[in-house]
Amino acid sequence: MTAAVIDGTAVARQVREEVGKGVAQLVAAGGTAPGLATVLIGDDPASEVYVRNKRRLCVAAGMADLHRHLPGDVDQASAAALIDSLAADPAVSGILLQLPTPAHLDAEALLARIPAAKDVDGLTTANAGLLAQGRPGLRPCTPSGVMVLLDQYDVPLQGAEAVVVGRSVLVGRPMAQLLLERNATVTICHSRTRDLAEVCRRADVLVVAAGIPGLVGADAVKPGATVIDVGIHRGEDGLHGDVDTAAVAAVAGRITPVPGGVGPMTIAMLLANTLTAATAQQGSGG
């Protein structure tokens, strides 16, 4: 058996095209184009690349690019004042604080200043609480993107055994909650899990977001399972995930590649969240 490859690049393109149409419809109906405020503090090269990609795709979807860049030595009060001004600005539909921030800043306190209605990363405690209670709200982009991939490839979730490796507030926990919403039976694994491979082998759907290169091998995968690799690591010979892709592809039914799997979906869902936020703020439903 060789696993079918889940093409995140193609699905992300579809999502972005749909968002572009939604933006055009909003404007045609007399609304305002959504505005995405990316906030970059300092000059971290990786963060600069991520933000540049987000801004480029935001503009391509017909949205306003309201980027703000603060120096790396900015103080907490000044950074907080910028977030507050964006929160109060009606032109700003969504605010994204690029993480990590410089070490001297309290990123949690800055995130807490973002109104839930403009939290297009889905990271505020308010949106996390709405997700935990199964109520509508803005969802974290990466887990939302995984759900779209599973749906696009007709992966059955109702009654399925799903295992999530990783318990971060960014991916692992919201991923488990989104799967639970779809009536999967969900197990969360982490660094203290006994016999990780044995638990993973139960999964019809295995989502690996542990941040450890090559953590999951063929011995941890049920034959025919769908394997979603959220990890991304730069090695000497290119990018790798948390899954030993070549070995696992011989056992799994479907697998996401790295790169070209979950990664492109994250920005696509950021744009979808920004459109959702703008539609709600402009009173057109959502």
Side-chain angles (χ1 to χ4, degrees):
M1 183 192 306
T2 304
V5 173
I6 293 175
D7 187 349
T9 303
V11 177
R13 190 180 306 118
Q14 287 173 17
V15 171
R16 293 198 310 271
E17 284 170 4
E18 284 166 23
V19 170
K21 287 177 191 163
V23 170
Q25 286 167 359
L26 180 65
V27 173
T32 311
L36 176 62
T38 45
V39 179
L40 177 63
I41 304 176
D43 302 299
D44 177 69
S47 290
E48 284 183 343
V49 171
Y50 291 142
V51 169
R52 194 179 314 129
N53 286 337
K54 289 167 185 171
R55 294 174 65 192
R56 178 174 56 83
L57 293 171
C58 153
V59 170
M63 298 184 183
D65 169 21
L66 306 176
H67 177 66
R68 300 289 190 274
H69 189 185
L70 293 174
D73 60 356
V74 70
D75 59 61
Q76 185 81 17
S78 301
L82 173 66
I83 301 279
D84 290 349
S85 71
L86 295 171
D89 186 345
V92 175
S93 313
I95 302 169
L96 183 144
L97 175 63
Q98 183 65 39
L99 302 174
T101 58
H104 70 281
L105 294 174
D106 182 349
E108 293 290 323
L110 293 176
L111 286 171
R113 303 184 88 89
I114 299 174
K118 294 189 177 189
D119 169 32
V120 286
D121 247 352
L123 291 180
T124 58
T125 52
N127 277 325
L130 290 169
L131 172 57
Q133 293 190 354
R135 290 161 60 191
L138 294 169
R139 308 304 199 211
C141 301
T142 301
S144 297
V146 171
M147 297 305 291
V148 172
L149 289 177
L150 293 172
D151 285 343
Q152 284 287 325
Y153 281 80
D154 297 320
V155 177
L157 295 176
Q158 185 149 323
E161 187 98 34
V163 173
V164 178
V165 184
R167 54 179 168 181
S168 72
V169 295
L170 253 143
V171 182
R173 292 177 197 228
M175 187 77 252
Q177 288 166 326
L178 288 170
L179 288 163
L180 201 55
E181 268 185 4
R182 298 289 294 279
N183 300 317
T185 300
V186 184
T187 304
I188 302 181
C189 298
H190 44 78
S191 58
R192 308 286 196 283
T193 299
R194 291 184 194 148
D195 199 347
L196 178 65
E198 185 184 350
V199 179
C200 290
R201 270 196 303 274
R202 300 204 307 252
D204 302 306
V205 177
L206 177 60
V207 182
V208 189
I212 301 168
L215 174 68
V216 168
D219 65 324
V221 176
K222 177 199 278 192
T226 297
V227 179
I228 305 289
D229 188 353
V230 180
I232 187 154
H233 312 278
R234 192 171 296 283
E236 288 176 13
D237 54 345
L239 295 172
H240 304 277
D242 288 357
V243 172
D244 181 348
T245 309
V248 168
V251 182
R254 305 178 190 86
I255 193 166
T256 56
V258 176
V262 175
M265 293 301 298
T266 300
I267 296 182
M269 299 314 293
L270 168 68
L271 300 180
N273 274 352
T274 305
L275 175 59
T276 299
T279 305
Q281 287 158 31
Q282 295 180 33
S284 338

